[in-house]
């Protein structure tokens, strides 16, 4: 049986050895974080569902080749970010829906009156976040929402740590501008990384 | 002027050692654009921290479990009937997981179960499907999204009839049922026999709803090898 003391890596090892329940445990353990990461990168709840499912499917396909060179959670973050990028690319190339982007509904129960300001702020932040270019958005979400250190983000995105740091700053500036403007497109941060 | 771009993020985070912090502050004292950037970055950082963590909606991983328990390919497969729910999740996910999946560890037969073994006495024979289109075309992965978007295909007259008396469709659906997660609730709108990346394949375009008689919200496209009835690719999109 799986216990709370099992590490992710132990569950991976057991799944590779043929224990089907071990993967379900990994899903349960990581689905919330995975879904929230996807939601903040892709923006819409429906897309976040798809990206989350695709991330786990992709994880399942690739798990036999997981070598443990990085932590499982780092690896899963990478798979998730890639699933989000794939989804955003497909959406840009062949949008199947019509009409305008729909703002994701406020999560959970209806806001209580004294939470109204906080909810309004969250909606603004979500809308502004979607105006930050994708490759910058991922750094922002990983650091400022998911609280990951620069080094882990560098591993997830396959970037040098210095690039993560400069990209994070540019992304924050872009988001700050988007928050301060209404309806205009956020000024895209310059894409040349690593310059001082 | 050289701007300390790599230090500014950690400066805003308050994570710089004293010497580097002083270096940044000296720079900020003489660089208005960087001062403005730091202000904007601070606002952005604290705004992001107001975003709540939201619970995973019901149905993100759940449908896989349900599909395993009823109607789907693996649910009909007698050999899996006694599998524990958790293992069933994995099996259902595998049924969806596509091309380069290969043989998952521990279950060499998972993806190769032919339709005849799938139990349920040819349950697919009662499915409804349009006439099988035979095409000389060789589809590429990027064609799938386009296929889903093409103007609604004029339904052949056989649409709406079950496939029981139609040998071509019967054969195609037996294979599709074995290699996909399609169920009678999915409405098959196109059934094509062509090639996919050089391999003979069935391409099935289906509309899928959330269940319980709700109208379809998604287009799903399965590409199934005509030779092995294994999935070659899968794509999905939202219906307008």
């Amino acid at each position: 049986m799986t216990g709370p003391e099992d590490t992710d890596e132990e569950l991976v090892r057991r799944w590779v050895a043929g224990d089907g329940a071990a993967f379900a445990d990994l899903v349960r353990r990581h689905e919330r974080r995975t879904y929230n990461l996807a939601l903040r990168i892709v923006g819409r709840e429906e897309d976040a569902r798809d990206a989350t499912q695709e991330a786990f499917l992709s994880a399942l396909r690739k798990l036999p080749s997981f070598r443990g060179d990085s932590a499982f959670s780092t690896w899963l973050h990478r798979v998730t970010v890639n699933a989000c990028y794939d989804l955003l690319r497909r959406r840009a190339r062949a949008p199947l829906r019509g009409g305008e982007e729909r703002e994701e509904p406020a999560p959970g129960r209806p806001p209580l009156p004294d939470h109204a300001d906080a909810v309004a702020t969250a909606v603004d932040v979500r809308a502004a976040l979607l105006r930050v270019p994708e490759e910058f958005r991922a750094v922002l979400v990983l650091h400022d929402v998911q609280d990951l250190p620069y080094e882990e983000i560098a591993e997830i995105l396959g970037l040098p740590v210095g690039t993560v740091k400069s990209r994070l700053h540019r992304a924050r500036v872009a988001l700050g501008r988007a928050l301060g403007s209404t309806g205009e497109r956020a000024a895209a941060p310059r894409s040349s990384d690593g310059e001082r | 002027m050289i701007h300390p771009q790599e230090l500014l993020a950690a400066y805003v985070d308050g994570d710089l050692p004293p010497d580097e912090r002083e270096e940044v502050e000296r720079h900020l004292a003489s660089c208005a654009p960087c001062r403005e950037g730091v202000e904007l970055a601070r606002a952005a950082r604290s705004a992001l921290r107001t975003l709540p963590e939201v619970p995973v909606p019901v149905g993100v991983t759940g449908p896989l479990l349900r599909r395993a328990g009823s109607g789907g390919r693996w649910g009909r497969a007698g050999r899996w009937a006694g599998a524990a729910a958790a293992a069933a999740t994995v099996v259902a996910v595998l049924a969806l997981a596509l091309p380069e999946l290969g043989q998952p560890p521990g279950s060499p037969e998972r993806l190769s179960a032919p339709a005849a073994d799938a139990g349920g006495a040819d349950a697919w024979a009662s499915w409804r499907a349009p006439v099988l289109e035979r095409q000389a075309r060789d589809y590429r992965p990027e064609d799938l999204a386009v296929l889903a978007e093409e103007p609604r295909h004029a339904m052949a007259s056989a649409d709406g009839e079950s496939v029981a008396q139609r040998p071509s469709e019967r054969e195609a659906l037996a294979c599709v049922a074995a290699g996909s997660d399609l169920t009678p609730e999915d409405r098959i709108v196109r059934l094509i026999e062509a090639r996919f990346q050089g391999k003979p394949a069935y391409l099935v375009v289906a509309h899928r709803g959330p269940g319980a008689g709700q109208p379809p919200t998604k287009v799903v496209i399965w590409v199934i090898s005509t030779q092995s009835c294994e999935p070659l690719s899968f794509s999905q999109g939202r219906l307008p």
Side-chain angles (χ1 to χ4, degrees):
Chain A
M1 277 312 291
T2 309
E5 72 283 359
D6 287 315
T7 62
D8 289 342
E9 288 69 26
E10 170 64 13
L11 289 172
V12 171
R13 194 194 60 71
R14 294 223 314 258
W15 184 77
V16 172
D19 175 1
F23 188 77
D25 286 330
L26 284 168
V27 172
R28 273 194 284 276
R29 190 176 285 186
H30 292 281
E31 64 180 358
R32 189 174 174 115
R33 214 171 154 75
T34 299
Y35 175 75
N36 275 270
L37 173 60
L39 179 63
R40 297 311 172 204
I41 294 178
V42 300
R44 293 162 39 113
E45 188 185 319
E46 257 174 303
D47 289 337
R49 288 165 178 254
D50 288 350
T52 302
Q53 284 188 343
E54 278 170 32
F56 280 120
L57 287 172
S58 176
L60 194 56
R61 277 203 301 272
K62 295 172 181 164
L63 209 47
S65 62
F66 174 70
R67 294 277 167 264
D69 298 333
S70 48
F72 174 78
S73 58
T74 303
W75 182 83
L76 183 61
H77 276 104
R78 180 158 62 230
V79 170
T80 306
V81 170
N82 288 337
C84 291
Y85 284 167
D86 285 349
L87 190 138
L88 290 170
R89 255 198 305 275
R90 278 204 310 274
R91 203 172 74 179
R93 199 177 52 214
L96 286 170
R97 80 192 64 73
E100 274 296 291
E101 293 288 297
R102 181 172 54 83
E103 177 59 37
E104 151 210 352
R109 51 202 178 280
L112 299 169
D114 55 341
H115 291 161
D117 284 350
V119 171
T121 307
V123 171
D124 292 344
V125 177
R126 289 199 305 252
L129 188 55
L130 293 183
R131 284 155 57 199
V132 175
E134 287 152 24
E135 70 273 24
F136 287 82
R137 204 185 303 156
V139 178
L140 264 186
V141 174
L142 289 167
H143 188 78
D144 285 344
V145 179
Q146 303 241 323
D147 255 335
L148 297 181
Y150 309 122
E151 292 73 17
E152 191 172 348
I153 297 170
E155 223 181 316
I156 290 167
L157 299 178
L159 296 171
V161 174
T163 304
V164 169
K165 290 177 178 171
S166 55
R167 200 176 274 199
L168 174 62
H169 183 66
R170 290 197 171 101
R172 281 173 170 167
V173 172
L175 178 62
R177 291 223 164 87
L179 283 167
S181 62
T182 47
E184 311 153 29
R185 240 198 112 65
R190 287 181 303 158
S191 59
S192 54
D193 285 313
E195 62 178 54
R196 294 181 145 245
Chain B
M1 187 183 297
I2 297 171
H3 307 285
Q5 287 285 355
E6 286 187 20
L7 298 181
L8 292 175
Y11 177 74
V12 169
D13 282 337
D15 280 346
L16 282 184
D19 54 332
E20 288 183 330
R21 195 178 63 230
E22 283 163 25
E23 183 191 330
V24 169
E25 281 167 354
R26 271 198 306 277
H27 175 80
L28 291 179
S30 62
C31 180
C34 281
R35 278 202 302 279
E36 190 205 355
V38 164
E39 284 315 302
L40 288 167
R42 284 202 170 113
R45 181 179 181 274
S46 52
L48 284 171
R49 274 149 215 271
T50 66
L51 285 179
E53 190 183 67
V54 301
V56 184
V58 175
V60 173
T61 48
L64 304 166
L65 250 172
R66 277 203 302 283
R67 195 173 295 140
S70 68
R73 171 189 179 196
W74 302 108
R76 291 195 303 272
R79 76 176 75 169
W80 298 108
T89 306
V90 175
V91 171
V93 170
L94 279 171
L96 276 175
L98 297 173
E100 59 280 26
L101 183 55
Q103 296 296 347
S107 290
E109 309 144 294
R110 271 179 193 170
L111 275 180
S112 55
D117 289 355
D122 295 354
W124 46 265
S126 64
W127 291 9
R128 294 172 189 285
V131 164
L132 179 70
E133 302 167 49
R134 291 202 166 88
Q135 298 179 355
R137 182 170 172 186
D138 190 357
Y139 284 84
R140 293 161 303 162
E142 57 268 31
D143 298 330
L144 297 185
V146 181
L147 189 62
E149 269 210 312
E150 277 174 9
R152 191 62 59 240
H153 182 67
M155 285 297 171
S157 59
D159 179 35
E161 293 172 15
S162 86
V163 298
Q165 306 304 319
R166 295 152 54 198
S168 301
E169 287 78 8
R170 208 180 140 87
E171 189 183 334
L173 278 203
C175 196
V176 166
S180 74
D181 72 335
L182 291 174
T183 75
E185 290 186 13
D186 297 315
R187 181 160 179 270
I188 299 177
V189 295
R190 293 190 72 176
L191 186 58
I192 299 168
E193 184 176 349
R195 297 177 88 81
F196 182 77
Q197 295 187 298
K199 294 179 188 156
Y202 294 116
L203 289 88
V204 192
V205 183
H207 290 176
R208 173 172 287 176
Q214 297 291 304
T217 52
K218 270 185 178 180
V219 184
V220 297
I221 300 174
W222 279 95
V223 183
I224 310 290
S225 160
T226 60
Q227 292 166 329
S228 64
C229 299
E230 286 179 23
L232 298 175
S233 188
F234 172 77
S235 180
Q236 62 178 348
R238 203 161 290 113
L239 280 172

